[in-house]
Amino acid sequence: MIVHYVRLEMVRLLRDPGYLVMSLVSPLTMYLVFTSLDLTGDSGQGGALYSMVGMAGFGAIGAVMGSGVAIAEDKPIGWIRQLRLLPLRPLDVVVGRALCAMVVTLPPILSVCLAGALVNGVSLGAGQWAAVLVLLWAGIAPIAVLAIGLGYLLTGQQAQMAGLVCYMGLSLLGGLWVPISKFPGWLERLATATPINRYGELSWRVTDGDAPSLTGVLVLAGWAVLFAAVAVYGYRRSARSA
């Protein structure tokens, strides 16, 4: 049933691809600008690698936040009321929407990584490329669930504002734009506790030739559990009021 539900949501999503274009253009443009201006402080391949991961992650966040806004806009038209007729648990619905949101992250991730290789000469081994792409895609799951929770809890306008704050604010705080080593000490410590920083860290470590840290994975998993609980609560509340 959940497979059929994901297929249904993907068909609905692809009928309105406008925000997919924005999630593709924005991070790709920012990546080219950031590497041209050397905003990471490293003019070599290290800076290009850092910005490539950061801007690919930035695009992925924008894509999943757009999915949250779409959920909020679905509520007034009675879509949640229709979902209640299906034999789906609240967790099934949340997981299904999260998978849909994760699918739309692939265009920005792939386009930025392709630009890194073709424009800035980023060179990684085949295994590293595969690991970076998989981690950028799979690691966005907690943020996708957060976006879904916001969509169920908020109105369309509120979800749009909250999504923009998370998109820009968490990306900056998490170090996707510039390394957190440039932050003041207290802010750097705060940044390491954010899911966005740990999300980027998964791939940054791979580009440095290391494996993702256990601490980073556990922090990200903890945020995923918290956001999933919020999303399930939001769906149940929306279903009761639908």
Side-chain angles (χ1 to χ4, degrees):
M1 178 59 69
I2 193 171
V3 173
H4 293 298
Y5 171 59
V6 171
R7 186 182 304 159
L8 173 63
E9 290 291 0
M10 287 304 303
V11 170
R12 296 177 67 239
L13 178 67
L14 294 176
R15 287 176 179 171
D16 183 20
Y19 79 90
L20 295 180
V21 175
M22 289 305 299
S23 70
L24 177 65
V25 172
S26 178
L28 184 57
T29 302
M30 289 186 66
Y31 172 64
L32 296 176
V33 170
F34 273 45
T35 51
S36 296
L37 298 179
D38 187 23
L39 296 182
T40 64
D42 185 346
S43 59
Q45 184 165 131
L49 277 168
Y50 189 95
S51 290
M52 182 187 76
V53 170
M55 290 300 107
F58 180 63
I61 295 168
V64 296
M65 286 301 166
S67 297
V69 174
I71 290 173
E73 293 174 344
D74 278 346
K75 290 187 293 186
I77 64 175
W79 180 240
I80 294 179
R81 189 161 53 246
Q82 297 298 317
L83 287 179
R84 292 178 63 188
L85 302 177
L86 300 176
L88 289 169
R89 299 172 301 169
L91 184 59
D92 294 334
V93 175
V94 169
V95 170
R97 291 303 296 245
L99 289 174
C100 291
M102 291 173 68
V103 169
V104 299
T105 66
L106 290 173
I109 289 173
L110 292 173
S111 65
V112 172
C113 288
L114 186 61
L118 298 181
V119 178
N120 289 306
V122 169
S123 178
L124 294 171
Q128 286 178 299
W129 275 118
V132 165
L133 292 173
V134 169
L135 291 172
L136 282 169
W137 178 76
I140 201 64
I143 313 304
V145 176
L146 169 62
I148 290 165
L150 293 176
Y152 285 129
L153 289 170
L154 305 175
T155 65
Q157 186 175 13
Q158 291 170 340
Q160 191 169 19
M161 292 301 298
L164 181 61
V165 170
C166 291
Y167 182 33
M168 305 299 286
L170 289 180
S171 295
L172 178 58
L173 178 61
L176 297 186
W177 293 8
V178 294
I180 63 173
S181 59
K182 296 182 179 296
F183 294 176
W186 65 272
L187 188 58
E188 181 179 358
R189 290 189 292 272
L190 176 62
T192 60
T194 65
I196 299 298
N197 179 257
R198 295 301 185 170
Y199 164 58
E201 183 191 56
L202 296 176
S203 296
W204 284 320
R205 287 182 62 87
V206 170
T207 62
D208 288 338
D210 300 319
S213 70
L214 178 60
T215 300
V217 172
L218 291 177
V219 170
L220 201 58
W223 282 110
V225 171
L226 176 61
F227 293 152
V230 171
V232 169
Y233 167 76
Y235 174 76
R236 285 175 172 164
R237 195 180 76 167
S238 296
R240 287 195 298 268
S241 60

